[in-house]
Amino acid sequence: MRTNVIAGNWKMNKTNAEAVEMLTELKGLVKDIKDVKIIIGAPFTALSDAVKAVEGSQIGIAAENVYPKASGAYTGEVSPVMLKSIGVKYVIIGHSERRDYFKETNEFINEKVKAVLENGMTPILCIGEHLEDREAGKTAEVTEKQIREGLAGITPEQAENIIVAYEPVWAIGTGKTATPEVAQETHKQIREVLRDMFGKVADKMIIQYGGSMKPANAPELLAQPDIDGGLIGGASLEATSFAEIVSAARK
Ligand code: PGA
């Protein structure tokens, strides 16, 4: 059986002081929860302090982006080696905001996935269709392409250590969630693609749902057989709402 993984994605929010305050509160709220994996994605500037703030707890810290080279003349970028050196364990890759605003391609995202794995961290690969794709009946086609190209050249052994986050773009930050049935249907299709690529390992892989997941809708979404957790934006900014979602993910 898969353990649910609940990850927060703070996006471009929180100063260091705010990050430490939230994580200190969260640590207390989830201290007895051992059957859910908990991750918080923080902006680069807060990562070091965030790692220190969660010391001694089961909470892992994620970066929200990475550049797929170890070092060099890439002004303004941050490498996987740097992230690993401060205790970051996960990296969110290919979020729709990065695909849309910063024109990240599946090929570039694939380089990032590989660089993160090579440095012993876990990639959280985000995929998901836009509203026009869904309305045109192209959801399965779009997500399949994102998976196949984003995970090209990955071995089944590596795949076991990859988290996929399915986030329909029309549900991100809009308050519109996919219904549990619609989300489950797409999660099932995604797992079938992963099975075709990686065989039985697909049954061990975590597929999170993301897009306006809140304490109120989390129980129904997390009850679906192929939904193994959530990637949470808005509701991860406050310790209490995030902890409620973590509680809903207990089996
Ligand atoms: P949301 O964001 O929960 O605010 O919709 C999810 C995400 O973008 O990861």
Side-chain angles (χ1 to χ4, degrees):
M1 197 162 68
R2 297 179 292 267
T3 303
N4 277 330
V5 181
I6 300 295
N9 174 14
W10 284 350
K11 310 191 180 186
M12 198 174 72
N13 290 292
K14 294 200 188 288
T15 61
N16 285 22
E18 288 164 349
V20 169
E21 189 187 338
M22 186 284 189
L23 289 167
T24 306
E25 188 185 350
L26 180 65
K27 226 167 121 170
L29 291 173
V30 300
K31 68 177 186 312
D32 296 324
I33 301 183
K34 306 284 178 223
D35 48 353
V36 180
K37 236 186 209 179
I38 307 169
I39 302 169
I40 289 286
F44 286 134
T45 44
L47 287 173
S48 248
D49 285 349
V51 168
K52 289 187 194 118
V54 299
E55 250 170 30
S57 80
Q58 78 285 42
I59 304 167
I61 297 298
E64 299 173 15
N65 187 26
V66 68
Y67 193 77
K69 293 277 188 261
S71 63
Y74 303 100
T75 303
E77 295 298 320
V78 174
S79 89
V81 177
M82 294 166 180
L83 295 176
K84 190 187 178 183
S85 76
I86 57 164
V88 167
K89 299 270 189 292
Y90 304 85
V91 183
I92 299 170
I93 298 175
H95 190 279
S96 64
E97 287 148 18
R98 298 218 56 89
R99 292 175 187 264
D100 289 349
Y101 305 152
F102 305 103
K103 307 289 171 237
E104 290 196 7
T105 62
N106 287 327
E107 198 183 9
F108 188 42
I109 287 163
N110 179 243
E111 284 182 46
K112 295 185 182 200
V113 169
K114 288 177 174 160
V116 166
L117 287 169
E118 278 159 21
N119 284 279
M121 295 177 289
T122 298
I124 302 176
L125 171 68
C126 302
I127 59 169
E129 82 286 2
H130 287 91
L131 185 60
E132 54 270 30
D133 301 322
R134 181 156 287 271
E135 285 175 348
K138 288 191 176 155
T139 299
E141 188 187 319
V142 168
T143 53
E144 175 162 1
K145 188 173 158 68
Q146 290 171 330
I147 299 166
R148 289 198 187 273
E149 295 182 3
L151 299 182
I154 297 296
T155 65
E157 292 69 36
Q158 290 177 309
E160 207 172 323
N161 191 33
I162 293 173
I163 296 173
V164 175
Y166 167 60
E167 302 201 296
V169 182
W170 46 271
I172 295 178
T174 57
K176 277 190 222 158
T177 335
T179 62
E181 295 72 27
V182 164
Q184 165 58 24
E185 187 192 18
T186 308
H187 278 242
K188 192 161 175 272
Q189 286 163 353
I190 291 167
R191 201 176 304 282
E192 276 159 19
V193 175
L194 294 172
R195 196 170 288 124
D196 187 52
M197 294 177 78
F198 305 118
K200 281 203 195 82
V201 167
D203 292 314
K204 296 190 191 164
M205 290 177 74
I206 299 301
I207 309 176
Q208 298 176 316
Y209 170 81
S212 300
M213 193 187 263
K214 309 270 181 247
N217 60 29
E220 268 193 314
L221 286 159
L222 294 167
Q224 300 301 314
D226 287 293
I227 299 184
D228 314 314
L231 183 57
I232 325 293
S236 74
L237 293 171
E238 282 192 17
T240 42
S241 55
F242 187 72
E244 273 185 65
I245 299 176
V246 171
S247 293
R250 304 186 77 170
K251 286 191 178 160

